[in-house]
Amino acid sequence: MKSLRKHLFIKFLLVYLVFFLLALSFVSFYGGTALQHYFYNTEGNALYKEVTRIANYYSQEENGKLSISGLSSEMEGNIHNKAWGWTLISPEGEILLHYGPEKIKGEKIADFHVAEKGDKTYYSGDLQGMLTQEQLISKAPIRRNFQNLAYLYLHIPLLEIEAKKEGAMEILFEVFALTFILSFSVFAVFYFFVYRPLRKITAGAVRYAAGEYLYHIQVSSEDEMGYLADTLNYMAEEIQKSDDYQRQFIANVSHDFRSPLTSIKGYLEAMLDGTIPRDKEEKYLERLIMETDRLSKLTQSMLSLNKLDEGGNLNRSNFDINRMIREVCSSFEMQCAKKKLQFSLVFAEKKEMVYGDYPKIQQVLYNLLDNAVKFSKEGTEVIVRTERRGTKVFISVKDQGIGIPKKDLQKIWERFYKTDLSRGRDKRGTGLGLSIVKSIITAHNEHIDCISTEGVGTEFSFALPMSLKEEA
């Protein structure tokens, strides 16, 4: 794990260094070339503009008689850039005037070519060997009466242009170095806001893979990394809850299966070894049937929940909920007679058509009424009510029983959960009834509520959509 983290860090560092070297190479080669061209063209255009201006000035007769002595005294004042050198050459190649380190005034250029370098406005050269170093040169003729009297050359050493380029390159490298130093802030941002949180998240993922679901990833940033850490923490919490639920589920199933199985085994062994007399075997066989019924009911409830968990499709249809309530209530006739209970059916309409899964809603009503009968006090009544509210039909089942403690109200929907008050009276219950009820109502995209007062009674209520049309 440690090597992987180092590997990622080194990869990022290497990419960063490679990027720096590539950028440095680009600045060195392309930047130097670009600056060389820039200063060459800038100085060349300036030379051409200046030499053209001066040549045009002296080509005009109104500016006085053209003389070598006059030009010599005026030229220094006419040229704007004092760093430039200049040379005045006659059409025959004689150097009439020269301003520069060379002592070439009066010399003649052999094979003087006026058209040197063609029609270029500026070029690099040494005036056919007369100058001691390469210069950037621009020329223009001084003309009067349609004749070229002389040629004016302005020039600047290429070394000066190179020096300007080097000065600009120094500034460019300084800026680049400063930018590189400042770019470390990006590296710091990556380290503190990406790399370190990612390292914590990776370490947390390894802990989770090892089954340590209680471990909490400490990333508090409100960005994608923080969201990822929160998601993984939530996932671990849910897995932990799932593991706890599975352990509790297995424990509850084992307990609920062990009790009837132990009774069945005990009764059968007692019959085989003669502990139970033959004349009483019928009585204990009835108990065996009751215990097997209990096992069958538990198994059926678990299968129902499993189907609901798998997202079993609902087979919806239109049906009369009032009629269903009457039919389910009639199945509790014997239990009500033993406890002297009465059903009070309060229907806002004689016929109330709803849209839902008939068998599953029937199971909901059976479980709710079974609980109501089981936990009601003797001589009381169970009230079942239906009424319309907008496009919904609300159904409620209210008993006058032992009630549910406030601390248990949120837990009654958990599988195998039984309140302390119910354990004494619900010896045959599976603890799955209300879980099945909630799962069925949730599958219908509806909600079930429970209001209960300990020692007074409990009321369950849920809603179903009204059917759009009645079925005959």
Side-chain angles (χ1 to χ4, degrees):
M1 181 63 207
K2 189 175 180 181
S3 63
L4 286 176
R5 292 200 300 268
K6 286 184 176 179
H7 183 60
L8 177 63
F9 188 79
I10 291 172
K11 279 171 63 176
F12 182 79
L13 183 60
L14 287 175
V15 170
Y16 188 77
L17 290 175
V18 168
F19 173 78
F20 168 72
L21 292 175
L22 289 175
L24 182 61
S25 300
F26 178 80
V27 170
S28 299
F29 294 104
Y30 177 78
T33 303
L35 285 173
Q36 178 76 28
H37 285 299
Y38 171 77
F39 285 113
Y40 187 90
N41 294 332
T42 300
E43 292 292 336
N45 288 325
L47 283 171
Y48 177 72
K49 183 178 180 181
E50 184 70 358
V51 75
T52 303
R53 180 186 68 81
I54 295 172
N56 288 338
Y57 175 81
Y58 286 115
S59 294
Q60 298 173 11
E61 294 184 3
E62 61 266 25
N63 290 327
K65 183 179 179 181
L66 183 64
S67 65
I68 299 303
S69 58
L71 284 174
S72 179
S73 61
E74 292 180 10
M75 191 67 74
E76 292 184 17
N78 269 336
I79 296 177
H80 293 163
N81 193 325
K82 304 304 179 184
W84 292 340
W86 54 273
T87 304
L88 188 67
I89 304 176
S90 70
E92 293 77 21
E94 181 183 355
I95 299 177
L96 303 175
L97 294 171
H98 176 74
Y99 176 77
E102 299 86 0
K103 305 297 183 181
I104 57 175
K105 180 181 177 182
E107 294 189 15
K108 189 172 183 178
I109 301 174
D111 299 324
F112 176 62
H113 299 294
V114 176
E116 184 187 14
K117 301 297 181 179
D119 58 352
K120 289 185 177 180
T121 56
Y122 53 88
Y123 59 93
S124 59
D126 57 1
L127 284 181
Q128 296 178 232
M130 302 304 294
L131 303 177
T132 58
Q133 57 180 305
E134 284 283 310
Q135 308 254 346
L136 183 62
I137 302 171
S138 185
K139 65 180 179 179
I142 298 176
R143 298 168 58 88
R144 286 191 179 182
N145 298 322
F146 305 102
Q147 290 185 349
N148 292 336
L149 301 181
Y151 297 95
L152 179 62
Y153 288 78
L154 292 185
H155 40 79
I156 180 173
L158 291 178
L159 289 178
E160 290 192 20
I161 297 177
E162 184 68 22
K164 289 183 179 182
K165 184 202 80 172
E166 293 299 328
M169 285 295 293
E170 287 181 8
I171 296 174
L172 186 61
F173 278 120
E174 289 175 2
V175 173
F176 180 79
L178 181 61
T179 303
F180 178 72
I181 293 171
L182 291 176
S183 68
F184 266 102
S185 61
V186 177
F187 187 79
V189 168
F190 169 81
Y191 181 79
F192 287 104
F193 294 100
V194 177
Y195 176 71
R196 286 181 61 184
L198 185 60
R199 184 172 60 183
K200 292 180 181 179
I201 291 171
T202 306
V206 172
R207 301 281 288 270
Y208 296 153
E212 299 179 41
Y213 301 120
L214 295 178
Y215 179 79
H216 187 79
I217 301 174
Q218 300 292 334
V219 177
S220 58
S221 59
E222 296 182 359
D223 53 17
E224 287 79 0
M225 287 297 176
Y227 177 75
L228 178 59
D230 291 341
T231 301
L232 289 175
N233 288 331
Y234 175 76
M235 178 194 72
E237 291 172 3
E238 291 301 310
I239 293 175
Q240 180 64 36
K241 290 178 183 179
S242 178
D243 282 357
D244 292 342
Y245 166 74
Q246 288 181 9
R247 284 191 289 270
Q248 185 65 32
F249 180 84
I250 292 172
N252 288 331
V253 169
S254 299
H255 175 271
D256 281 1
F257 270 91
R258 184 170 58 246
S259 179
L261 287 173
T262 300
S263 297
I264 292 171
K265 181 182 178 183
Y267 290 144
L268 291 174
E269 288 176 346
M271 289 179 183
L272 288 174
D273 61 19
T275 302
I276 296 176
R278 289 191 174 275
D279 58 339
K280 294 185 178 180
E281 283 184 358
E282 184 177 352
K283 172 184 175 183
Y284 288 98
L285 285 172
E286 290 179 356
R287 291 185 181 179
L288 286 174
I289 292 173
M290 290 175 60
E291 294 297 339
T292 55
D293 286 342
R294 180 180 171 188
L295 283 174
S296 178
K297 183 178 180 182
L298 177 61
T299 304
Q300 187 60 43
S301 296
M302 291 172 62
L303 289 173
S304 297
L305 275 175
N306 184 58
K307 289 181 180 178
L308 290 170
D309 288 341
E310 291 176 353
N313 295 327
L314 297 176
N315 296 316
R316 299 183 190 236
S317 62
N318 297 320
F319 60 89
D320 183 3
I321 188 68
N322 291 347
R323 180 179 177 181
M324 177 186 285
I325 291 171
R326 293 189 190 96
E327 291 174 351
V328 175
C329 287
S330 65
S331 63
F332 290 94
E333 185 177 346
M334 296 296 295
Q335 294 95 315
C336 289
K338 288 180 182 179
K339 296 184 69 173
K340 299 179 181 178
L341 296 176
Q342 288 186 348
F343 282 120
S344 178
L345 307 183
V346 181
F347 299 151
E349 303 289 338
K350 183 177 180 181
K351 189 176 184 180
E352 201 69 83
M353 298 298 294
V354 296
Y355 184 64
D357 189 307
Y358 187 96
K360 288 184 172 60
I361 297 302
Q362 189 178 49
Q363 188 175 8
V364 167
L365 288 172
Y366 183 89
N367 287 345
L368 292 179
L369 289 170
D370 183 50
N371 279 345
V373 170
K374 193 182 300 178
F375 298 114
S376 288
K377 300 172 185 176
E378 290 190 6
T380 60
E381 66 176 359
V382 175
I383 303 171
V384 184
R385 184 188 306 272
T386 64
E387 62 177 321
R388 296 182 185 179
R389 297 179 195 170
T391 60
K392 304 278 188 179
V393 175
F394 283 78
I395 302 99
S396 66
V397 177
K398 182 177 182 181
D399 64 54
Q400 298 173 14
I402 60 176
I404 302 171
K406 189 175 181 180
K407 63 182 180 67
D408 294 323
L409 275 176
Q410 295 302 317
K411 300 178 181 179
I412 60 175
W413 311 109
E414 296 177 9
R415 299 175 185 186
F416 295 105
Y417 183 81
K418 297 181 182 180
T419 66
D420 292 335
L421 292 177
S422 71
R423 290 188 182 277
R425 300 191 181 194
D426 193 20
K427 295 183 181 295
R428 297 181 182 179
T430 64
L432 296 173
L434 290 179
S435 295
I436 293 173
V437 166
K438 186 173 180 62
S439 297
I440 292 173
I441 297 302
T442 301
H444 281 76
N445 296 320
E446 298 293 345
H447 183 71
I448 184 166
D449 292 314
C450 176
I451 300 173
S452 184
T453 303
E454 194 173 346
V456 177
T458 303
E459 180 178 9
F460 290 93
S461 61
F462 63 94
L464 290 174
M466 294 174 55
S467 61
L468 298 179
K469 61 178 182 178
E470 293 188 3
E471 290 187 349

